[in-house]
């Protein structure tokens, strides 16, 4: 396949009148000029990678916004979420994930890292096949056409000091031995699904201890020494205080001191970090997985992105709870939070890339590729052909020169400006439509009608 673009954002920057040759899902040639035999497009940019997703929470969006006179927090939200997920079957989980992933693809995400911790049946018992719920996620990704990095979650305790899990967490819990078997099973499953890979996600320092964390990482490394490792960390101030009380150190510092944190690791949120932790994270090569809309929705706080990027840190974005499924909104609020915090403008940019929108898009896409250990995140020779074609009619209403295009996309567009989406060399969305969107939407809507949170 060949595609020609009038404007294309390659890893070297904006280029004009370029033809890509795509073979077996990979960009095999890049040549100047418009090839008359190629498919003709206007503006092409790299696809975005979603570094953090809890798919089932897409069906929970809207259920938790009832006020309580300022007494709500992440922890009260979590109680309602447990009540919701207790009702879901494996078929429900697949229907929700399929709807979510179609929405992701249509909005410009071409790969998702699924932080998957809903392992067992509604009573907390093992399925006959440990990976039943994982298989539902694989199937949903296949039907949606999105690339998948599955991250089975190790979850054992309700708090620091090996506190017993509560009733709402019974569907998450595995012994270390059983978890390692689940990971092995997921590796075998991934061989059946194109454009997928597997890592692990120790849930958090409060949900696993050092022994289990070390054993899970060691097992994963035997399966694949480059497989990604994601972990929730320092999302809430209470979590930081509890970690200090238990370990005598802040969470990120404890992780840096006790684990070989490197580019395999993605630290999700890491909101409440001090200067030493921030600099240690930046120099480690690990990725900070920032989820601006969820962190705002839950009242988590603001990550010190400006300083972190100046120190050479890698970042990726995630939609987490899916209160929003839109990479543009995540990037917009990544920058806006910094502006509000510092009362300055255009903070996330460099002299080399003065366009904030371009800097954010390229940084997050590349960081997402690192966080998922995938050959994606930029358009270059030998890279996977994950790309987006912008809607020229929609973009014609804003500044259109290449140096302004991604600023217009990120900060000015309100409606979806992604017209076509290619993933692994295949068109998954054409003219803003996905082939399974109608049937998926109907099934998802019916599922929502069955959910009862009245008790």
């Amino acid at each position: 396949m060949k595609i020609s673009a009038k404007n294309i954002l390659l890893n070297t920057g904006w280029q004009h009148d370029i033809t890509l040759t795509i073979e077996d899902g990979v960009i095999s040639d890049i040549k100047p000029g418009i090839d008359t035999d190629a498919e003709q497009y206007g503006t092409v940019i790299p696809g975005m990678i979603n570094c953090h997703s809890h798919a089932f929470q897409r069906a929970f969006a809207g259920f938790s916004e009832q006020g309580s006179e300022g007494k709500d927090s992440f922890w009260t939200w979590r109680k309602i979420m447990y009540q919701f997920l207790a009702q879901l079957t494996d078929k429900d989980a697949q229907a929700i994930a399929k709807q979510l992933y179609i929405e992701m693809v249509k909005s410009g995400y071409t790969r998702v890292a699924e932080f998957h911790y809903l392992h067992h049946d509604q009573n907390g018992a093992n399925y006959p096949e440990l990976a039943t719920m994982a298989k539902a996620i694989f199937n949903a990704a296949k039907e949606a056409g999105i690339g998948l990095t599955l991250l089975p979650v190790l979850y054992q305790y309700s708090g620091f000091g090996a506190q017993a899990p509560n009733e709402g967490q019974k569907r998450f819990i595995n012994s270390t031995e059983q978890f390692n078997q689940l990971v092995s099973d997921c590796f075998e499953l991934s061989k059946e699904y194109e454009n997928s890979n597997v890592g692990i996600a120790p849930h958090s320092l409060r949900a696993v201890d050092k022994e289990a964390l070390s054993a899970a990482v060691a097992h994963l490394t035997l399966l694949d020494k480059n497989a990604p490792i994601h972990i929730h960390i320092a999302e809430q101030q209470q979590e930081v205080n509890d970690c200090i009380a238990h370990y005598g150190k802040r969470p990120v510092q404890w992780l840096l001191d006790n684990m070989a944190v490197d580019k395999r690791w993605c630290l999700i949120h890491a909101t409440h970090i001090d200067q030493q932790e921030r600099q240690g994270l930046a120099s480690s090569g690990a990725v900070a997985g920032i989820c601006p809309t969820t962190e705002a929705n839950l009242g988590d706080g603001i990550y010190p992105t400006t300083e972190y990027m100046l120190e050479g840190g890698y970042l990726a974005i995630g939609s987490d709870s899916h209160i929003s499924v839109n990479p543009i909104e995540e990037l917009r609020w990544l920058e806006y939070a910094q502006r509000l915090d510092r009362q300055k403008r255009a903070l996330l940019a460099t002299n080399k890339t003065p366009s904030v929108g371009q800097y954010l898009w390229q940084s997050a896409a590349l960081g997402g590729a690192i966080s998922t250990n995938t050959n994606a995140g930029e358009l270059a020779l030998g890279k996977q052909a994950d790309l987006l074609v912008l809607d020229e009619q929609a973009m014609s209403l804003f500044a259109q020169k290449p140096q302004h295009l991604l600023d217009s996309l990120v900060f000015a567009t309100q409606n979806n400006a992604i017209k076509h989406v290619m993933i692994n060399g295949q068109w998954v969305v054409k003219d803003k439509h996905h082939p399974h969107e109608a049937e998926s939407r109907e099934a998802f809507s019916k599922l929502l009608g069955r959910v009862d949170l009245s008790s």
Side-chain angles (χ1 to χ4, degrees), residues 366-423:
L366 181 59
I370 296 170
S371 77
T372 54
N373 185 35
T374 49
N375 183 36
E378 56 186 359
L379 300 180
L381 195 63
K383 292 290 183 177
Q384 185 167 304
D386 291 355
L387 56 86
L388 314 177
V389 180
L390 301 187
D391 182 344
E392 290 188 81
Q393 185 174 6
M395 297 307 298
S396 71
L397 301 176
F398 308 102
Q400 302 165 50
K401 291 185 178 180
Q403 66 264 36
H404 301 303
L405 261 172
L406 283 172
D407 291 328
S408 293
L409 180 69
V410 171
F411 296 106
T413 59
Q414 302 303 317
N415 299 317
N416 186 11
I418 309 300
K419 189 172 184 179
H420 310 305
V421 179
M422 175 181 283
I423 300 177

Short mmCIF file of all heavy atoms in Angstrom, two decimals, residues 366-423:
data_model
loop_
_atom_site.label_atom_id
_atom_site.label_comp_id
_atom_site.label_asym_id
_atom_site.label_seq_id
_atom_site.Cartn_x
_atom_site.Cartn_y
_atom_site.Cartn_z
N LEU A 366 5.49 9.38 21.70
CA LEU A 366 6.75 8.66 21.89
C LEU A 366 6.81 8.03 23.27
O LEU A 366 7.21 6.86 23.42
CB LEU A 366 7.93 9.62 21.70
CG LEU A 366 9.33 9.01 21.85
CD1 LEU A 366 9.54 7.88 20.84
CD2 LEU A 366 10.41 10.08 21.70
N GLY A 367 6.41 8.77 24.30
CA GLY A 367 6.39 8.21 25.65
C GLY A 367 5.44 7.03 25.76
O GLY A 367 5.72 6.05 26.45
N GLY A 368 4.30 7.11 25.04
CA GLY A 368 3.36 6.00 25.03
C GLY A 368 3.97 4.75 24.42
O GLY A 368 3.75 3.64 24.90
N ALA A 369 4.75 4.94 23.36
CA ALA A 369 5.41 3.79 22.73
C ALA A 369 6.43 3.16 23.67
O ALA A 369 6.54 1.93 23.76
CB ALA A 369 6.09 4.23 21.43
N ILE A 370 7.18 3.99 24.38
CA ILE A 370 8.14 3.46 25.35
C ILE A 370 7.41 2.70 26.45
O ILE A 370 7.81 1.60 26.85
CB ILE A 370 8.99 4.61 25.95
CG1 ILE A 370 9.85 5.26 24.86
CG2 ILE A 370 9.87 4.08 27.08
CD1 ILE A 370 10.52 6.54 25.30
N SER A 371 6.31 3.26 26.93
CA SER A 371 5.58 2.66 28.04
C SER A 371 4.92 1.35 27.68
O SER A 371 4.57 0.56 28.57
CB SER A 371 4.52 3.64 28.57
OG SER A 371 3.38 3.68 27.72
N THR A 372 4.72 1.08 26.39
CA THR A 372 4.10 -0.17 25.95
C THR A 372 5.08 -1.10 25.25
O THR A 372 4.69 -2.17 24.79
CB THR A 372 2.92 0.13 24.99
OG1 THR A 372 3.38 0.96 23.91
CG2 THR A 372 1.79 0.82 25.72
N ASN A 373 6.34 -0.69 25.16
CA ASN A 373 7.37 -1.48 24.48
C ASN A 373 6.93 -1.85 23.07
O ASN A 373 6.92 -3.03 22.69
CB ASN A 373 7.72 -2.73 25.28
CG ASN A 373 8.87 -3.52 24.67
OD1 ASN A 373 9.81 -2.94 24.10
ND2 ASN A 373 8.81 -4.84 24.75
N THR A 374 6.54 -0.84 22.30
CA THR A 374 6.04 -1.08 20.95
C THR A 374 6.78 -0.20 19.93
O THR A 374 7.29 0.87 20.27
CB THR A 374 4.54 -0.79 20.84
OG1 THR A 374 4.23 0.49 21.42
CG2 THR A 374 3.73 -1.85 21.56
N ASN A 375 6.80 -0.68 18.70
CA ASN A 375 7.49 -0.01 17.62
C ASN A 375 6.57 1.02 16.97
O ASN A 375 6.23 0.96 15.79
CB ASN A 375 7.93 -1.06 16.58
CG ASN A 375 8.74 -0.46 15.45
OD1 ASN A 375 9.52 0.46 15.65
ND2 ASN A 375 8.54 -0.97 14.24
N ALA A 376 6.16 1.99 17.77
CA ALA A 376 5.16 2.96 17.31
C ALA A 376 5.52 4.33 17.89
O ALA A 376 6.65 4.56 18.29
CB ALA A 376 3.76 2.51 17.75
N GLY A 377 4.55 5.26 17.88
CA GLY A 377 4.74 6.56 18.52
C GLY A 377 5.27 7.65 17.63
O GLY A 377 5.25 8.82 18.00
N GLU A 378 5.75 7.29 16.43
CA GLU A 378 6.23 8.29 15.48
C GLU A 378 6.21 7.69 14.08
O GLU A 378 6.18 6.46 13.92
CB GLU A 378 7.65 8.75 15.84
CG GLU A 378 8.66 7.63 15.95
CD GLU A 378 10.02 8.11 16.47
OE1 GLU A 378 10.16 9.32 16.72
OE2 GLU A 378 10.92 7.28 16.61
N LEU A 379 6.18 8.56 13.09
CA LEU A 379 6.17 8.12 11.70
C LEU A 379 7.59 8.21 11.16
O LEU A 379 8.15 9.29 11.00
CB LEU A 379 5.21 8.98 10.87
CG LEU A 379 3.75 8.95 11.33
CD1 LEU A 379 2.88 9.84 10.44
CD2 LEU A 379 3.21 7.52 11.36
N ALA A 380 8.18 7.05 10.92
CA ALA A 380 9.56 6.97 10.46
C ALA A 380 9.76 5.62 9.78
O ALA A 380 8.95 4.70 9.94
CB ALA A 380 10.53 7.12 11.63
N LEU A 381 10.83 5.50 9.04
CA LEU A 381 11.15 4.26 8.35
C LEU A 381 11.29 3.13 9.36
O LEU A 381 11.99 3.25 10.37
CB LEU A 381 12.46 4.43 7.57
CG LEU A 381 12.79 3.37 6.50
CD1 LEU A 381 11.73 3.39 5.40
CD2 LEU A 381 14.18 3.62 5.93
N GLY A 382 10.59 2.02 9.11
CA GLY A 382 10.65 0.87 9.98
C GLY A 382 9.68 0.89 11.14
O GLY A 382 9.59 -0.10 11.88
N LYS A 383 8.95 1.98 11.31
CA LYS A 383 7.98 2.07 12.39
C LYS A 383 6.62 1.53 11.95
O LYS A 383 6.28 1.54 10.77
CB LYS A 383 7.82 3.53 12.86
CG LYS A 383 9.04 4.10 13.56
CD LYS A 383 9.24 3.45 14.92
CE LYS A 383 10.41 4.07 15.67
NZ LYS A 383 10.57 3.50 17.02
N GLN A 384 5.85 1.07 12.93
CA GLN A 384 4.51 0.58 12.64
C GLN A 384 3.66 1.70 12.07
O GLN A 384 3.73 2.85 12.52
CB GLN A 384 3.88 0.03 13.92
CG GLN A 384 2.52 -0.63 13.71
CD GLN A 384 2.10 -1.44 14.92
OE1 GLN A 384 2.82 -2.33 15.36
NE2 GLN A 384 0.93 -1.14 15.46
N ALA A 385 2.84 1.37 11.08
CA ALA A 385 2.00 2.37 10.41
C ALA A 385 0.72 2.59 11.21
O ALA A 385 -0.35 2.07 10.91
CB ALA A 385 1.67 1.93 8.99
N ASP A 386 0.85 3.37 12.29
CA ASP A 386 -0.27 3.84 13.10
C ASP A 386 -0.37 5.34 12.86
O ASP A 386 0.46 6.12 13.35
CB ASP A 386 -0.03 3.58 14.58
CG ASP A 386 -0.07 2.11 14.94
OD1 ASP A 386 -0.38 1.29 14.07
OD2 ASP A 386 0.20 1.78 16.12
N LEU A 387 -1.39 5.76 12.11
CA LEU A 387 -1.44 7.17 11.71
C LEU A 387 -2.88 7.67 11.63
O LEU A 387 -3.83 6.90 11.51
CB LEU A 387 -0.71 7.37 10.38
CG LEU A 387 -1.14 6.54 9.17
CD1 LEU A 387 -2.30 7.20 8.44
CD2 LEU A 387 0.04 6.33 8.23
N LEU A 388 -2.99 8.99 11.69
CA LEU A 388 -4.28 9.67 11.64
C LEU A 388 -4.28 10.65 10.48
O LEU A 388 -3.27 11.32 10.22
CB LEU A 388 -4.52 10.45 12.94
CG LEU A 388 -4.23 9.74 14.27
CD1 LEU A 388 -4.47 10.70 15.43
CD2 LEU A 388 -5.07 8.48 14.41
N VAL A 389 -5.42 10.76 9.82
CA VAL A 389 -5.62 11.76 8.78
C VAL A 389 -6.61 12.78 9.32
O VAL A 389 -7.72 12.43 9.73
CB VAL A 389 -6.16 11.14 7.48
CG1 VAL A 389 -6.37 12.23 6.42
CG2 VAL A 389 -5.20 10.07 6.96
N LEU A 390 -6.20 14.04 9.34
CA LEU A 390 -7.07 15.09 9.88
C LEU A 390 -8.15 15.46 8.88
O LEU A 390 -7.97 15.35 7.67
CB LEU A 390 -6.25 16.32 10.26
CG LEU A 390 -5.14 16.12 11.31
CD1 LEU A 390 -4.54 17.46 11.71
CD2 LEU A 390 -5.68 15.39 12.54
N ASP A 391 -9.27 15.93 9.42
CA ASP A 391 -10.40 16.39 8.62
C ASP A 391 -10.09 17.80 8.12
O ASP A 391 -10.09 18.76 8.89
CB ASP A 391 -11.66 16.39 9.49
CG ASP A 391 -12.91 16.81 8.75
OD1 ASP A 391 -12.80 17.40 7.65
OD2 ASP A 391 -14.01 16.58 9.27
N GLU A 392 -9.80 17.92 6.82
CA GLU A 392 -9.40 19.22 6.27
C GLU A 392 -10.50 20.26 6.41
O GLU A 392 -10.22 21.45 6.65
CB GLU A 392 -9.02 19.06 4.80
CG GLU A 392 -7.72 18.30 4.60
CD GLU A 392 -7.26 18.31 3.16
OE1 GLU A 392 -6.66 19.32 2.73
OE2 GLU A 392 -7.52 17.32 2.45
N GLN A 393 -11.75 19.85 6.29
CA GLN A 393 -12.84 20.81 6.41
C GLN A 393 -12.93 21.36 7.83
O GLN A 393 -13.09 22.56 8.03
CB GLN A 393 -14.17 20.15 6.03
CG GLN A 393 -15.35 21.10 6.03
CD GLN A 393 -16.62 20.44 5.51
OE1 GLN A 393 -16.65 19.24 5.25
NE2 GLN A 393 -17.67 21.22 5.35
N ALA A 394 -12.79 20.46 8.81
CA ALA A 394 -12.82 20.91 10.21
C ALA A 394 -11.63 21.82 10.52
O ALA A 394 -11.78 22.86 11.18
CB ALA A 394 -12.83 19.71 11.14
N MET A 395 -10.44 21.44 10.02
CA MET A 395 -9.24 22.22 10.33
C MET A 395 -9.19 23.53 9.57
O MET A 395 -8.43 24.44 9.94
CB MET A 395 -7.99 21.38 10.02
CG MET A 395 -7.86 20.12 10.88
SD MET A 395 -7.95 20.41 12.66
CE MET A 395 -6.53 21.48 12.90
N SER A 396 -9.99 23.67 8.50
CA SER A 396 -9.98 24.91 7.71
C SER A 396 -10.50 26.10 8.50
O SER A 396 -10.32 27.26 8.08
CB SER A 396 -10.81 24.72 6.43
OG SER A 396 -12.20 24.65 6.74
N LEU A 397 -11.13 25.85 9.63
CA LEU A 397 -11.69 26.94 10.45
C LEU A 397 -10.68 27.49 11.45
O LEU A 397 -11.02 28.40 12.22
CB LEU A 397 -12.93 26.44 11.19
CG LEU A 397 -14.07 25.92 10.31
CD1 LEU A 397 -15.21 25.37 11.16
CD2 LEU A 397 -14.58 27.01 9.38
N PHE A 398 -9.47 26.97 11.43
CA PHE A 398 -8.44 27.39 12.39
C PHE A 398 -7.12 27.61 11.65
O PHE A 398 -7.01 27.32 10.47
CB PHE A 398 -8.28 26.34 13.49
CG PHE A 398 -9.58 25.95 14.14
CD1 PHE A 398 -10.20 24.75 13.80
CD2 PHE A 398 -10.17 26.77 15.07
CE1 PHE A 398 -11.41 24.40 14.38
CE2 PHE A 398 -11.37 26.43 15.66
CZ PHE A 398 -11.99 25.23 15.32
N ALA A 399 -6.12 28.12 12.37
CA ALA A 399 -4.81 28.34 11.78
C ALA A 399 -4.31 27.03 11.17
O ALA A 399 -4.29 26.00 11.83
CB ALA A 399 -3.83 28.83 12.84
N GLN A 400 -3.89 27.09 9.89
CA GLN A 400 -3.66 25.86 9.14
C GLN A 400 -2.23 25.60 8.72
O GLN A 400 -1.92 24.51 8.22
CB GLN A 400 -4.52 25.88 7.86
CG GLN A 400 -6.00 26.02 8.11
CD GLN A 400 -6.74 26.38 6.85
OE1 GLN A 400 -6.56 25.75 5.81
NE2 GLN A 400 -7.56 27.42 6.92
N LYS A 401 -1.34 26.57 8.87
CA LYS A 401 0.04 26.31 8.50
C LYS A 401 0.61 25.22 9.41
O LYS A 401 0.23 25.12 10.58
CB LYS A 401 0.87 27.58 8.60
CG LYS A 401 0.50 28.62 7.54
CD LYS A 401 1.42 29.82 7.59
CE LYS A 401 1.07 30.82 6.48
NZ LYS A 401 1.95 32.00 6.51
N PRO A 402 1.50 24.39 8.87
CA PRO A 402 1.99 23.26 9.66
C PRO A 402 2.47 23.63 11.06
O PRO A 402 2.21 22.87 12.01
CB PRO A 402 3.13 22.71 8.80
CG PRO A 402 2.71 23.02 7.40
CD PRO A 402 2.03 24.36 7.49
N GLN A 403 3.12 24.78 11.20
CA GLN A 403 3.63 25.13 12.53
C GLN A 403 2.51 25.44 13.52
O GLN A 403 2.73 25.49 14.73
CB GLN A 403 4.60 26.31 12.46
CG GLN A 403 3.97 27.64 12.03
CD GLN A 403 4.12 27.90 10.55
OE1 GLN A 403 4.07 26.96 9.75
NE2 GLN A 403 4.34 29.15 10.19
N HIS A 404 1.28 25.63 13.00
CA HIS A 404 0.14 25.91 13.87
C HIS A 404 -0.88 24.77 13.92
O HIS A 404 -1.80 24.81 14.75
CB HIS A 404 -0.59 27.18 13.40
CG HIS A 404 0.26 28.41 13.38
ND1 HIS A 404 0.92 28.87 14.49
CD2 HIS A 404 0.56 29.27 12.37
CE1 HIS A 404 1.60 29.97 14.17
NE2 HIS A 404 1.40 30.22 12.90
N LEU A 405 -0.74 23.79 13.05
CA LEU A 405 -1.79 22.78 12.90
C LEU A 405 -2.11 22.04 14.20
O LEU A 405 -3.29 21.88 14.56
CB LEU A 405 -1.40 21.77 11.82
CG LEU A 405 -2.00 21.97 10.44
CD1 LEU A 405 -1.37 21.01 9.43
CD2 LEU A 405 -3.51 21.78 10.47
N LEU A 406 -1.11 21.59 14.90
CA LEU A 406 -1.38 20.83 16.11
C LEU A 406 -1.79 21.73 17.27
O LEU A 406 -2.49 21.29 18.18
CB LEU A 406 -0.19 19.95 16.47
CG LEU A 406 -0.12 18.69 15.60
CD1 LEU A 406 1.16 17.92 15.83
CD2 LEU A 406 -1.31 17.79 15.84
N ASP A 407 -1.39 23.00 17.23
CA ASP A 407 -1.95 23.95 18.21
C ASP A 407 -3.44 24.12 17.96
O ASP A 407 -4.24 24.14 18.91
CB ASP A 407 -1.24 25.30 18.09
CG ASP A 407 0.20 25.27 18.54
OD1 ASP A 407 0.51 24.48 19.46
OD2 ASP A 407 1.02 26.00 17.97
N SER A 408 -3.83 24.22 16.70
CA SER A 408 -5.25 24.33 16.38
C SER A 408 -6.00 23.08 16.81
O SER A 408 -7.09 23.15 17.39
CB SER A 408 -5.44 24.57 14.88
OG SER A 408 -4.93 25.83 14.49
N LEU A 409 -5.42 21.91 16.53
CA LEU A 409 -6.07 20.65 16.87
C LEU A 409 -6.27 20.53 18.38
O LEU A 409 -7.36 20.20 18.86
CB LEU A 409 -5.25 19.48 16.35
CG LEU A 409 -5.81 18.08 16.64
CD1 LEU A 409 -7.07 17.84 15.83
CD2 LEU A 409 -4.76 17.01 16.35
N VAL A 410 -5.20 20.78 19.15
CA VAL A 410 -5.24 20.55 20.59
C VAL A 410 -6.02 21.64 21.33
O VAL A 410 -6.79 21.33 22.25
CB VAL A 410 -3.81 20.45 21.15
CG1 VAL A 410 -3.81 20.43 22.68
CG2 VAL A 410 -3.12 19.20 20.61
N PHE A 411 -5.89 22.89 20.92
CA PHE A 411 -6.46 23.97 21.72
C PHE A 411 -7.72 24.61 21.15
O PHE A 411 -8.44 25.28 21.88
CB PHE A 411 -5.40 25.06 21.95
CG PHE A 411 -4.24 24.58 22.75
CD1 PHE A 411 -3.02 24.32 22.15
CD2 PHE A 411 -4.36 24.34 24.11
CE1 PHE A 411 -1.94 23.86 22.89
CE2 PHE A 411 -3.30 23.87 24.86
CZ PHE A 411 -2.08 23.63 24.24
N ALA A 412 -8.01 24.40 19.87
CA ALA A 412 -9.13 25.12 19.28
C ALA A 412 -10.30 24.24 18.86
O ALA A 412 -11.44 24.68 18.88
CB ALA A 412 -8.64 25.93 18.07
N THR A 413 -10.04 23.01 18.43
CA THR A 413 -11.15 22.18 17.94
C THR A 413 -12.02 21.71 19.11
O THR A 413 -11.52 21.40 20.19
CB THR A 413 -10.63 20.94 17.18
OG1 THR A 413 -9.80 20.17 18.05
CG2 THR A 413 -9.85 21.35 15.95
N GLN A 414 -13.30 21.67 18.87
CA GLN A 414 -14.25 21.15 19.85
C GLN A 414 -14.90 19.86 19.37
O GLN A 414 -15.26 19.00 20.17
CB GLN A 414 -15.34 22.20 20.14
CG GLN A 414 -14.79 23.52 20.66
CD GLN A 414 -13.95 23.37 21.92
OE1 GLN A 414 -14.31 22.61 22.82
NE2 GLN A 414 -12.82 24.06 21.99
N ASN A 415 -15.07 19.73 18.07
CA ASN A 415 -15.62 18.51 17.50
C ASN A 415 -14.49 17.63 16.98
O ASN A 415 -13.37 18.10 16.75
CB ASN A 415 -16.59 18.85 16.37
CG ASN A 415 -17.76 19.68 16.85
OD1 ASN A 415 -18.32 19.40 17.91
ND2 ASN A 415 -18.11 20.71 16.11
N ASN A 416 -14.77 16.36 16.80
CA ASN A 416 -13.74 15.42 16.35
C ASN A 416 -13.19 15.82 14.99
O ASN A 416 -13.94 15.92 14.01
CB ASN A 416 -14.33 14.01 16.29
CG ASN A 416 -13.27 12.96 15.97
OD1 ASN A 416 -12.07 13.24 15.99
ND2 ASN A 416 -13.71 11.76 15.67
N ALA A 417 -11.88 16.03 14.92
CA ALA A 417 -11.24 16.43 13.66
C ALA A 417 -10.39 15.30 13.09
O ALA A 417 -9.56 15.54 12.22
CB ALA A 417 -10.39 17.68 13.88
N ILE A 418 -10.59 14.07 13.57
CA ILE A 418 -9.89 12.91 13.04
C ILE A 418 -10.80 12.25 12.01
O ILE A 418 -11.87 11.76 12.35
CB ILE A 418 -9.53 11.90 14.15
CG1 ILE A 418 -8.82 12.59 15.32
CG2 ILE A 418 -8.71 10.76 13.58
CD1 ILE A 418 -7.52 13.26 14.96
N LYS A 419 -10.36 12.20 10.75
CA LYS A 419 -11.22 11.67 9.68
C LYS A 419 -10.97 10.19 9.41
O LYS A 419 -11.92 9.41 9.29
CB LYS A 419 -11.01 12.47 8.40
CG LYS A 419 -12.01 12.13 7.30
CD LYS A 419 -11.89 13.07 6.12
CE LYS A 419 -12.98 12.77 5.08
NZ LYS A 419 -12.89 13.71 3.92
N HIS A 420 -9.72 9.80 9.29
CA HIS A 420 -9.37 8.41 9.02
C HIS A 420 -8.32 7.96 10.04
O HIS A 420 -7.47 8.75 10.46
CB HIS A 420 -8.77 8.22 7.62
CG HIS A 420 -9.55 8.84 6.51
ND1 HIS A 420 -10.87 8.57 6.27
CD2 HIS A 420 -9.17 9.74 5.55
CE1 HIS A 420 -11.28 9.26 5.22
NE2 HIS A 420 -10.27 9.98 4.77
N VAL A 421 -8.38 6.67 10.41
CA VAL A 421 -7.41 6.11 11.35
C VAL A 421 -6.86 4.81 10.79
O VAL A 421 -7.62 3.89 10.47
CB VAL A 421 -8.05 5.85 12.73
CG1 VAL A 421 -7.02 5.25 13.69
CG2 VAL A 421 -8.64 7.13 13.31
N MET A 422 -5.53 4.73 10.69
CA MET A 422 -4.85 3.51 10.29
C MET A 422 -4.11 2.93 11.48
O MET A 422 -3.39 3.65 12.18
CB MET A 422 -3.87 3.78 9.15
CG MET A 422 -3.03 2.56 8.75
SD MET A 422 -1.85 2.90 7.42
CE MET A 422 -2.94 2.91 6.00
N ILE A 423 -4.27 1.62 11.69
CA ILE A 423 -3.57 0.93 12.77
C ILE A 423 -2.91 -0.32 12.20
O ILE A 423 -3.57 -1.15 11.57
CB ILE A 423 -4.53 0.55 13.91
CG1 ILE A 423 -5.19 1.81 14.50
CG2 ILE A 423 -3.78 -0.22 15.01
CD1 ILE A 423 -6.21 1.53 15.58
#
